[in-house]
Amino acid sequence: MNAPPLTKNQALVFDVLEKAEGPLSAYTILDKLRDHGFRAPLQVYRALEKLLEYGVVHRLESINSFVACAHPGENCHSHGIVAFAICESCGQVMEFHDHEVDHRLMDWTRGKKFKAEKTTIEIRGLCEACAA
Amino acid sequence: MNAPPLTKNQALVFDVLEKAEGPLSAYTILDKLRDHGFRAPLQVYRALEKLLEYGVVHRLESINSFVACAHPGENCHSHGIVAFAICESCGQVMEFHDHEVDHRLMDWTRGKKFKAEKTTIEIRGLCEACAA
DNA sequence: ATCAATTGCGTTATGCTATAACGTGTGCGA
DNA sequence: TCGCACACGTTATAGCATAACGCAATTGAT
């Protein structure tokens, strides 16, 4: 699932996410792109759908937001399960991968014959700077 | 954080969740409780807030729904991180705990000096019956 | 070359999820 | 008895996401 060349809207949305300090909601992205002609949520959601598919953007389920993948250029889907630590104070997101966690979860799903499609791991709390 | 006696609304909401086959959205709960006098979303959300606090109900972030804890009577918060496998076909939810996963995530947060408050692990896919 | 299928795009409308803000009543300890 | 905390009810609003329609551009098989 490597990313094909992005369309205009996809590139605009991706650009906003990449330049952002932290995760953004779809409507925040929309507002940032009004000057570029965006007028409706669907324009954002449709672009996001593709960017998620290509693996260059992640969705943070617990805060209804989106963030650019921390591994530009690479195919993030191949790193196994992606985990996130989200600071509830400053909004910063750290993305990481842990193969041992993947392994444990896969063991569990295998044992239950559960066919996993998409796994979410999100840790909310305070980053080092904000916890001080 | 053991559960104090539930108020009327809390008991009603909890009862609906416990008798349900799978997770329910707040608005679905509301509809099921109209006969009991519920008229507004806040009545549900306020009850859910407490039930979540008491640990007798879990929120499934990835599907904006709520489910009764699978360990009635016990204090679920003491089991460590709760993980869920959610069947996208039949809606059934399996709740489980894996201390090794907890450890790995805690190791990571310790290393980053990240103060974890709430961790979400949700696996979406197909249960054994539905995958067949 | 042409037709059909696919994909992206724009727009309007709508539905679902969640909370703000205000007021009421009740119980309980100082 | 006063003040406080808490549950509750109601109205309104904010925030998140998609349905359904139509148009334009691209591609690719015949």
Side-chain angles (χ1 to χ4, degrees):
Chain A
M1 179 83 58
N2 233 335
L6 302 181
T7 67
K8 183 159 167 285
N9 284 3
Q10 288 161 18
L12 284 167
V13 168
F14 182 63
D15 208 51
V16 165
L17 281 174
E18 239 193 347
K19 294 199 167 99
E21 294 285 324
L24 301 177
S25 78
Y27 277 71
T28 303
I29 297 170
L30 174 58
D31 286 339
K32 286 179 182 292
L33 288 175
R34 293 216 186 262
D35 293 345
H36 292 79
F38 275 48
R39 326 216 90 232
L42 258 194
Q43 296 175 277
V44 176
Y45 281 109
R46 289 205 272 232
L48 285 172
E49 188 180 6
K50 287 301 179 182
L51 296 171
L52 290 168
E53 190 181 317
Y54 303 154
V56 297
V57 161
H58 300 294
R59 175 195 193 104
L60 301 175
E61 309 276 2
S62 64
I63 56 173
N64 295 318
S65 294
F66 304 85
V67 70
C69 179
H71 307 95
E74 299 176 44
N75 181 347
C76 195
H77 284 165
S78 65
H79 284 290
I81 299 171
V82 189
F84 302 93
I86 306 166
C87 177
E88 292 181 304
S89 171
C90 69
Q92 249 207 329
V93 171
M94 281 174 283
E95 177 181 339
F96 66 100
H97 309 264
D98 185 309
H99 288 288
E100 180 61 21
V101 169
D102 295 11
H103 202 237
R104 295 290 295 185
L105 294 179
M106 273 170 52
D107 279 355
W108 186 90
T109 54
R110 242 201 319 272
K112 296 288 186 187
K113 295 194 169 40
F114 187 93
K115 184 155 178 282
E117 299 286 359
K118 175 87 177 70
T119 297
T120 296
I121 301 180
E122 295 176 18
I123 307 172
R124 291 177 310 294
L126 296 174
C127 70
E128 179 174 8
C130 290
Chain B
M1 179 83 57
N2 232 336
L6 301 181
T7 67
K8 182 159 168 286
N9 284 3
Q10 289 160 17
L12 285 167
V13 168
F14 183 63
D15 209 50
V16 165
L17 280 176
E18 238 193 347
K19 294 200 167 98
E21 295 284 324
L24 301 177
S25 77
Y27 279 73
T28 304
I29 297 170
L30 174 58
D31 286 338
K32 287 180 182 291
L33 287 175
R34 294 217 184 260
D35 295 343
H36 292 78
F38 275 47
R39 326 218 84 227
L42 258 194
Q43 296 175 279
V44 177
Y45 282 110
R46 288 206 272 234
L48 286 172
E49 186 180 7
K50 288 300 180 185
L51 296 171
L52 290 168
E53 190 182 316
Y54 302 154
V56 298
V57 161
H58 299 293
R59 175 196 194 101
L60 302 176
E61 310 276 2
S62 65
I63 56 174
N64 296 318
S65 294
F66 304 86
V67 68
C69 179
H71 307 94
E74 300 176 42
N75 181 346
C76 195
H77 285 164
S78 64
H79 284 292
I81 298 171
V82 190
F84 302 93
I86 306 165
C87 177
E88 292 182 303
S89 171
C90 69
Q92 252 208 326
V93 171
M94 282 174 280
E95 178 181 339
F96 66 100
H97 309 264
D98 185 308
H99 288 289
E100 181 60 21
V101 169
D102 295 12
H103 277 152
R104 296 290 295 184
L105 294 179
M106 273 169 52
D107 280 354
W108 187 91
T109 53
R110 242 200 319 273
K112 296 288 184 186
K113 296 195 169 39
F114 187 94
K115 184 154 179 282
E117 299 285 359
K118 176 89 176 69
T119 298
T120 296
I121 300 180
E122 295 176 19
I123 306 172
R124 293 179 305 298
L126 296 174
C127 71
E128 180 174 9
C130 290

